[in-house]
Amino acid sequence: MIDVKHLSKSFGEVEVLKDINETIEKGEKVVIVGPSGSGKSTFLRCLNLMEKPTSGDIFFEGENITQANEHEMNKLRQRMGMVFQHFNLFPHLTIKKNITLAPVKLGLMTANEADKKAEELLERVGLPDKADEYPSRLSGGQKQRVAIARMLMKQAPVLVFDDSLSAVDTETDNKIRKELKKEMEKATVIMISHRITSLMQADCIIVMDKGEIQQMGTHEELIHQEGPYKDIYEIQMNSDIRLMEGGAVCE
Ligand code: ADP
Ligand code: MG
């Protein structure tokens, strides 16, 4: 479904992604882990062309999208729902408007249809009473849920999460996951996450460091290999246990 070939990305002199090669099959659940600054977000942003690769090619359903024009990019982004690390909500728009803006603007839904769907999704993510609030009145976890509702408006076959569940406590995280289960099962999912539950359930874990893929495989495979994954897992295990004991989180 998604083929990444020799993808490199530099910002000025700094090479942030170095010759990344990866194939993601339809329906696959991929989890990316690695230290902060290792290039995880940049990789995801290259996939939907929010960042232009410096070299290499990205194929989406067999089509080389690397040189896509504006129109093709919009089409691609309709097929790829993304929840950003910092949610990217418009501060001057209400929650409902944040959610309905794109589908109405792109002519995919009428304003009425979009409103109705937005209300339904806000209900599902547990924020039915926040439709007319502005983002500044919401907590980090609530903003995150708005960003998830916004993503679900598209009914995209590929769902991309950039550390998107990190601002919510474990209990809310579990609730959202339960709520998203239907969509997640059907979709191709690419997610940056260090949560043990995500890692254990992944079809493929990609371990990144310094712009390179260090290891790739399932949890069972990686846990028995020499490499950074074992340490990441152990550190995360302890942190997840603390979270479960303590409740709220701030990553
Ligand atoms: P991660 O998501 O793994 O924490 P990022 O992909 O956000 O890593 O960042 C990787 C590196 O690229 C970091 O050193 C970061 O400072 C740099 N970087 C990311 N975006 C930009 C940008 N727009 N301009 C310059 N440097 C950037
Ligand atoms: Mg990041």
Side-chain angles (χ1 to χ4, degrees), residues 86-101:
H86 304 292
F87 323 130
N88 295 15
L89 301 179
F90 293 110
H92 62 292
L93 299 179
T94 63
I95 298 308
K96 197 198 262 180
K97 198 86 191 157
N98 261 286
I99 296 178
T100 56
L101 186 71

Side-chain angles (χ1 to χ4, degrees), residues 78 96-118 150 153-154:
Q78 280 311 309
K96 197 198 262 180
K97 198 86 191 157
N98 261 286
I99 296 178
T100 56
L101 186 71
V104 173
K105 205 171 156 193
L106 291 168
L108 303 170
M109 288 182 192
T110 66
N112 268 341
E113 284 167 350
D115 278 359
K116 212 165 146 247
K117 182 86 186 155
R150 181 173 60 180
M153 285 293 275
K154 294 190 202 176

Side-chain angles (χ1 to χ4, degrees), residues 220-239:
E220 270 308 309
E221 287 162 4
L222 295 184
I223 205 75
H224 295 110
Q225 276 179 21
E226 281 313 308
Y229 183 75
K230 277 202 293 201
D231 292 337
I232 292 174
Y233 172 69
E234 216 141 274
I235 291 167
Q236 193 58 35
M237 195 66 186
N238 290 329
S239 133

